[in-house]
Amino acid sequence: MTDAYLALEGERIVEARARAPGTANGELVFTTAYTGYEESLTDPSYEEQILTFSYPLIGNYGVREERFESDRVQPNAVVARELTDDVAEWLEGEGVPAVDHLDTRDIVTEIRDEGAMKCGIAAGPDATEADALEQLHQCKHMSEHTDIVAQVSVSEEIVYNEGGDGATVALVDCGAKGSIIDSLVERDAEVHVLPYDATEDDIESVDPDLLFISNGPGDPENFERAGEVVDTYVGEVPIAGICLGQQVVANALGGETEKMEFGHRGVNQPVRDLRTDQVVMTTQNHGYTVADPGDDLDVTQINVNDDTPEGLENDELGIITRQYHPEANPGPHDSLSFFDDVLELAEE
Ligand SMILES: NC(=O)CC[C@H](N)C(=O)O
């Protein structure tokens, strides 16, 4: 039954079945992960995007809050070959449109051939092609969401594991996944999650052993405030970053980021460490990359598929960043030791 429509860039219409009603628009992206749908759907990095799952059946082990990465569903809409009732009901309850019964292989191939694209969705008994097209026409380019950080950051400081024996971490929340905080707390760090617009006074009252720039949605060039924080404390406090965090650190230190064709999107992205030659499998979901790390950062890890920088470091200044997600959830645990490394840096 056709009661849902996708309008892709170029005004191509794809028919589908509505699983959660509503209209939405956003940048159309995908993940090839075959598990971890609860984690992906609650990852704030997907804000203002429409997430297509290429794995055909999504929802086969239910929906459990313990696996959520934040307190809400983050993508603007969801696309899959087949969504179970559990997931469809969850998305409907959250007011996030969802569609299935369409050829998601075709959609992912189109994104890979044509690059990241705008998309409009209309789902439900009254949905029309015209509604989907209207959504498409309203869709902004990712870089036009200049205030996206305000949509995902905490509004006041939250402290985890107060009095913990380990390092004190100031985590600048650009849309942090819960697993990053958990990975630090499991290693006994006291974690102060700070709003993106935290002042120097706010940071100094934490007196951190480590400054951590989180993952997050959108174009890293729109995260000026996080960049200023890096600029202020570089050389004084060790700095770590994950995904958007790596991009923000590179931009702050004279580097440059750029939009990729369709990004790295799955849980089997191979990364080579240039010092040890070891390759690890990693989780990734990013559409931008560091094109130039600037003069202060060494590229220590690269993506085996396309040689883009996956790790940046400066031993003297105490900086370690990763483009992938060492915290996994979903995905392989090969690189969890990143958290040991950054906390060691903090305690030195
Ligand atoms: N997962 C992330 O932090 C994503 C970073 C950034 N928004 C990108 O798409 O490249």
Side-chain angles (χ1 to χ4, degrees):
M1 191 178 83
T2 299
D3 58 1
Y5 302 91
L6 262 70
L8 309 186
E9 223 165 281
E11 313 225 323
R12 186 184 149 206
I13 297 286
V14 180
E15 296 184 348
R17 174 176 75 158
R19 297 295 269 136
T23 54
N25 63 66
E27 179 185 56
L28 187 63
V29 297
F30 62 89
T31 177
T32 60
Y34 33 85
T35 59
Y37 49 87
E38 299 140 296
E39 293 89 332
S40 295
L41 288 171
T42 51
D43 177 347
S45 303
Y46 288 110
E47 182 80 5
E48 300 296 352
Q49 293 178 322
I50 292 178
L51 178 56
T52 304
F53 289 95
S54 70
Y55 185 73
L57 176 62
I58 294 300
N60 50 334
Y61 52 88
V63 176
R64 288 225 328 254
E65 260 179 56
E66 299 91 280
R67 290 192 283 253
F68 292 1
E69 288 294 323
S70 70
D71 58 5
R72 67 177 171 94
V73 174
Q74 302 283 350
N76 289 357
V78 179
V79 175
R81 173 75 189 111
E82 183 91 39
L83 289 164
T84 64
D85 290 345
D86 280 344
V87 172
E89 280 159 23
W90 173 39
L91 295 172
E92 180 164 0
E94 293 254 341
V96 176
V99 304
D100 68 2
H101 283 196
L102 70 169
D103 188 348
T104 44
R105 294 167 305 183
D106 191 42
I107 296 213
V108 174
T109 307
E110 179 130 347
I111 300 171
R112 289 185 55 118
D113 288 347
E114 306 290 323
M117 61 177 76
K118 294 176 180 174
C119 175
I121 280 193
D126 305 322
T128 63
E129 288 186 24
D131 296 335
L133 283 167
E134 195 186 317
Q135 285 295 320
L136 173 67
H137 297 147
Q138 284 172 19
C139 186
K140 290 198 224 170
H141 190 272
M142 235 353 171
S143 59
E144 290 171 312
H145 289 282
T146 49
D147 206 21
I148 199 166
V149 66
Q151 295 168 226
V152 290
S153 184
V154 291
S155 48
E156 31 186 75
E157 178 178 350
I158 304 177
V159 187
Y160 294 84
N161 195 27
E162 196 158 6
D165 286 338
T168 301
V169 179
L171 186 144
V172 178
D173 182 15
C174 300
K177 286 174 66 187
S179 290
I180 294 179
I181 299 162
D182 293 347
S183 302
L184 293 165
V185 166
E186 273 160 26
R187 290 164 176 77
D188 236 346
E190 176 175 302
V191 183
H192 295 248
V193 177
L194 298 173
Y196 73 98
D197 54 357
T199 61
E200 281 167 32
D201 282 350
D202 296 332
I203 294 170
E204 274 148 34
S205 72
V206 173
D207 190 19
D209 303 313
L210 176 72
L211 197 60
F212 204 118
I213 313 294
S214 79
N215 64 295
D219 184 341
E221 284 186 17
N222 288 328
F223 287 71
E224 295 97 345
R225 179 62 200 138
E228 283 165 19
V229 170
V230 172
D231 198 38
T232 306
Y233 293 102
V234 66
E236 283 180 40
V237 182
I239 298 176
I242 289 181
C243 207
L244 179 104
Q246 160 154 311
Q247 301 163 350
V248 165
V249 170
N251 280 340
L253 300 183
E256 260 175 53
T257 48
E258 68 182 12
K259 182 102 170 134
M260 303 168 87
E261 213 31 39
F262 52 84
H264 291 156
R265 308 196 170 280
V267 295
N268 59 352
Q269 288 281 332
V271 168
R272 182 191 307 282
D273 188 301
L274 297 173
R275 296 154 305 185
T276 61
D277 242 11
Q278 193 189 17
V279 173
V280 289
M281 279 299 159
T282 67
T283 297
Q284 305 206 13
N285 64 316
H286 62 106
Y288 291 82
T289 188
V290 173
D292 170 9
D295 295 334
D296 290 327
L297 295 166
D298 291 327
V299 177
T300 55
Q301 301 188 336
I302 56 165
N303 190 294
V304 173
N305 294 331
D306 62 10
D307 290 347
T308 52
E310 294 285 359
L312 302 176
E313 296 182 32
N314 181 318
D315 291 340
E316 235 163 83
L317 296 174
I319 303 173
I320 313 186
T321 66
R322 296 291 180 259
Q323 185 57 61
Y324 53 91
H325 288 271
E327 77 283 2
N329 291 340
H333 291 178
D334 295 24
S335 44
L336 276 176
S337 61
F338 168 75
F339 293 97
D340 300 318
D341 296 343
V342 294
L343 290 174
E344 205 178 286
L345 193 68
E347 277 160 28
E348 261 167 26

